Amino acid sequence: MSDKPEIRVTSSPFLAKADGITNDRKAIQQAIDYVYSLGGGTVILDGGKTFLSTGIVIKSNVTLFFEDNAVLLQSPLKEDYVKPVGDAYEPYTPVIGHNYSETIKWSHTWYKNYPFIFAPEGSHHFKISGNGTLRMSECTDPEKLVRTCPIGFYRVHDFEISDITINNYHGYAMMPFTCKNGLFKNLKIFEWSFGNGDGICMMNCQNMRVTGCKMYTGDDSVYIFSSYRDPRAGEWWSSDEPQPSINIEIDHNDLESNHCKAFGMILWGIDCPDLEKVEVRNLYIHDNHFKTMGNWLFNPYTTNPAPHPVTHVRFENNVIDAIESNFFETEISDMNLFRSMRQMHNGDFKDGRVYWLISGDGITIHRGENPYAEFNCTESGVSLYQGLYIKAAEKCIFFVTGKTDGCTLRMFVKEQQTGKTVVEKEFCCTEKQRTELLFNVPSDGNYHVGIESTSAGCAEIYETEFTGNIDTGTDYNRITKQGGKIIYYYD
């Protein structure tokens, strides 16, 4: 048994009415604040009751628990809305309608309005769970509607959202922005209204998992969003100081979008001067059903045409009914099942680690005026590489410029799936030198191209270059099913 308090919002002294008519925000918030003041615990919404409310602020170490069939219902009255100011709550006037600006594309009002359930910056170890429903307000006129995200956070960590249902929503269902260590589990999201009914928008997030969720959304269902200086930023969030989107697992979900992507990436961080802060890295996507999959590559807020860095994406045991062509146009270093990118990026290390993968200990990438990769290894097999899709018909050359302390390094090309070496070449040079490896691969496929240690020693790699592989055909001409498995035809 936990020694943490469990408080019902209908109990004294909070006395929520739970009649679906009276605004219970104050009672719910007082219960949360009380439990928080005790160091944490659980605030319970009684089963079978409906609690009318507006902006609720969840706190660190607090669980908001929905008993069976408990409903938290959004108030439609704009005079009911409050925002957190320090430890207090002040009234504010929410923006009404769909968009708030005629000059900013997709300037949706829920980017400005505070989320229905909100966690302030720095909040941690909180939970929203239970077999209940978060239902947004009914309205027949979308221009009179207070559109707010049902659940949204900014710069919080170690949290869980599980088992609840979100319906009748009219914006994005969940907006975790620049967060760490989050779990979204067994959620049901459906019944959007008036368009833009996205599911879970993970912007600049790390160490996240979305598992066991079922969604039928009006727009993109689950996506990884890399953003920098998004002009739509409101009072409660910003992407001016982003963090990379890394270590994200999407598994055992059933996702369907009414007209857009059930799963994908929105890659809009390319203007960031430090691309390591917007890189998408280490995605594990497995055992899902996606009705559609694709990426958003067009960024309406920039003219920069450069590709956005994405590194190491694993797909396993998914059923994907349809894939948009923009997914195949994304430059991804080291992706299984589908084709990785065709050419190396960041061969001079000016953008730090982006696009590169490191296996083992002892490799450091130095930035600055003269960037380079340093090998300071105590054993063999420590490697630095990129994952490329290479055509068998193409003659390729891998160039490396560097020097060693007398130790030997090895240039290599390996099959991605088996790790089998296709071709290799050792080099040892105490003065800066350019070495080339000329090769063909035995069959079209994904390969690792890079440098590895052969023994203990130190070395500096200043530049790499990959040439050849110029056949740019990347389209999947046919997608079909055989025995329940999705087959992608390249010819």
Side-chain angles (χ1 to χ4, degrees):
M1 295 290 293
S2 172
D3 58 355
K4 298 289 187 180
E6 295 184 352
I7 303 295
R8 291 185 178 273
V9 298
T10 53
S11 298
S12 180
F14 311 109
L15 299 177
K17 297 296 184 182
D19 56 11
I21 300 172
T22 307
N23 186 350
D24 285 322
R25 192 209 68 81
K26 186 175 181 180
I28 297 170
Q29 192 63 61
Q30 285 179 341
I32 290 172
D33 292 347
Y34 174 70
V35 168
Y36 171 69
S37 72
L38 298 178
T42 301
V43 173
I44 300 171
L45 300 180
D46 303 60
K49 302 287 188 179
T50 297
F51 299 83
L52 185 72
S53 183
T54 57
I56 293 171
V57 180
I58 194 77
K59 300 290 183 71
S60 298
N61 303 309
V62 174
T63 294
L64 181 62
F65 185 78
F66 291 67
E67 287 188 332
D68 289 359
N69 302 314
V71 176
L72 186 61
L73 177 64
Q74 177 199 7
S75 171
L77 303 177
K78 61 183 181 180
E79 56 267 28
D80 286 347
Y81 285 75
V82 300
K83 64 180 180 180
V85 179
D87 294 330
Y89 311 96
E90 294 182 358
Y92 83 99
T93 302
V95 184
I96 305 299
H98 188 269
N99 294 318
Y100 65 85
S101 172
E102 295 182 355
T103 59
I104 301 175
K105 190 177 181 67
W106 298 324
S107 60
H108 307 316
T109 54
W110 52 91
Y111 283 105
K112 290 289 185 183
N113 295 330
Y114 277 81
F116 191 4
I117 302 180
F118 175 65
E121 183 174 351
S123 299
H124 57 86
H125 294 95
F126 59 87
K127 185 176 180 180
I128 302 169
S129 67
N131 190 27
T133 299
L134 201 167
R135 184 171 180 81
M136 307 307 281
S137 63
E138 303 282 353
C139 182
T140 58
D141 185 349
E143 294 309 313
K144 295 181 179 179
L145 183 64
V146 180
R147 295 177 184 247
T148 184
C149 172
I151 300 178
F153 319 124
Y154 175 65
R155 289 197 177 276
V156 305
H157 63 90
D158 296 282
F159 62 89
E160 176 182 324
I161 317 297
S162 57
D163 301 312
I164 65 171
T165 296
I166 296 177
N167 61 23
N168 198 50
Y169 66 104
H170 24 69
Y172 299 169
M174 294 193 182
M175 298 169 70
F177 285 0
T178 324
C179 297
K180 293 183 179 180
N181 308 331
L183 173 64
F184 299 90
K185 181 180 179 181
N186 299 337
L187 303 172
K188 298 179 182 65
I189 300 176
F190 59 96
E191 289 183 8
W192 74 95
S193 61
F194 306 121
N196 290 110
D198 292 20
I200 302 176
C201 170
M202 291 179 285
M203 186 191 77
N204 301 340
C205 287
Q206 299 184 354
N207 309 323
M208 310 291 277
R209 185 182 181 194
V210 180
T211 182
C213 299
K214 185 175 180 61
M215 303 183 195
Y216 180 39
T217 60
D219 214 308
D220 303 319
S221 297
V222 173
Y223 54 98
I224 297 160
F225 181 15
S226 178
S227 177
Y228 177 67
R229 291 191 173 178
D230 191 315
R232 300 170 296 177
E235 187 176 345
W236 65 272
W237 71 278
S238 169
S239 62
D240 289 356
E241 297 180 3
Q243 66 181 2
S245 302
I246 60 176
N247 302 334
I248 298 174
E249 183 176 5
I250 313 292
D251 67 284
H252 296 92
N253 302 288
D254 188 354
L255 306 180
E256 180 177 0
S257 168
N258 178 51
H259 71 278
C260 211
K261 303 161 182 61
F263 171 74
M265 291 179 278
I266 298 181
L267 303 172
W268 289 359
I270 194 60
D271 285 338
C272 185
D274 183 355
L275 291 184
E276 284 194 44
K277 292 183 178 179
V278 294
E279 184 182 23
V280 177
R281 177 187 292 272
N282 296 347
L283 310 184
Y284 185 27
I285 299 127
H286 63 98
D287 299 285
N288 300 284
H289 174 218
F290 301 148
K291 289 292 290 186
T292 51
M293 185 171 74
N295 295 331
W296 288 94
L297 305 179
F298 166 70
N299 182 344
Y301 313 123
T302 185
T303 58
N304 189 340
H308 186 287
V310 181
T311 307
H312 191 54
V313 181
R314 294 170 55 201
F315 287 90
E316 291 179 2
N317 199 35
N318 300 290
V319 174
I320 306 169
D321 293 353
I323 303 180
E324 299 178 6
S325 61
N326 45 57
F327 174 80
F328 308 123
E329 297 162 5
T330 310
E331 297 286 274
I332 300 178
S333 174
D334 196 42
M335 177 169 56
N336 77 326
L337 184 63
F338 304 101
R339 295 174 177 177
S340 297
M341 61 191 189
R342 301 294 297 272
Q343 293 294 325
M344 277 190 165
H345 294 288
N346 191 29
D348 55 8
F349 308 107
K350 287 183 178 179
D351 290 320
R353 180 175 169 168
V354 296
Y355 290 113
W356 290 98
L357 291 107
I358 297 173
S359 177
D361 298 322
I363 297 178
T364 304
I365 295 180
H366 296 270
R367 308 183 66 172
E369 186 175 347
N370 298 299
Y372 66 97
E374 177 187 15
F375 279 71
N376 189 5
C377 307
T378 59
E379 59 184 357
S380 62
V382 179
S383 61
L384 175 72
Y385 62 93
Q386 293 191 18
L388 307 179
Y389 175 78
I390 304 176
K391 297 279 287 185
E394 297 292 327
K395 294 181 179 179
C396 302
I397 308 176
F398 179 39
F399 297 95
V400 172
T401 300
K403 67 178 182 180
T404 74
D405 65 353
C407 70
T408 300
L409 293 183
R410 179 187 296 123
M411 304 164 66
F412 65 82
V413 179
K414 298 180 180 181
E415 294 180 349
Q416 180 203 61
Q417 187 170 2
T418 66
K420 180 181 178 181
T421 299
V422 174
V423 61
E424 63 184 21
K425 182 176 183 178
E426 294 186 348
F427 66 96
C428 176
C429 48
T430 56
E431 300 293 331
K432 186 175 181 179
Q433 177 180 306
R434 180 178 171 93
T435 306
E436 68 176 49
L437 174 63
L438 177 65
F439 68 94
N440 293 84
V441 295
S443 60
D444 299 353
N446 290 329
Y447 293 85
H448 291 163
V449 180
I451 310 111
E452 64 184 351
S453 63
T454 60
S455 61
C458 299
E460 295 179 357
I461 305 299
Y462 305 108
E463 189 174 8
T464 67
E465 185 181 350
F466 179 84
T467 63
N469 207 34
I470 59 175
D471 178 1
T472 57
T474 58
D475 287 344
Y476 293 65
N477 292 341
R478 287 181 292 141
I479 302 175
T480 188
K481 293 183 179 180
Q482 289 184 5
K485 183 178 180 181
I486 302 296
I487 307 296
Y488 306 92
Y489 291 95
Y490 305 109
D491 54 5

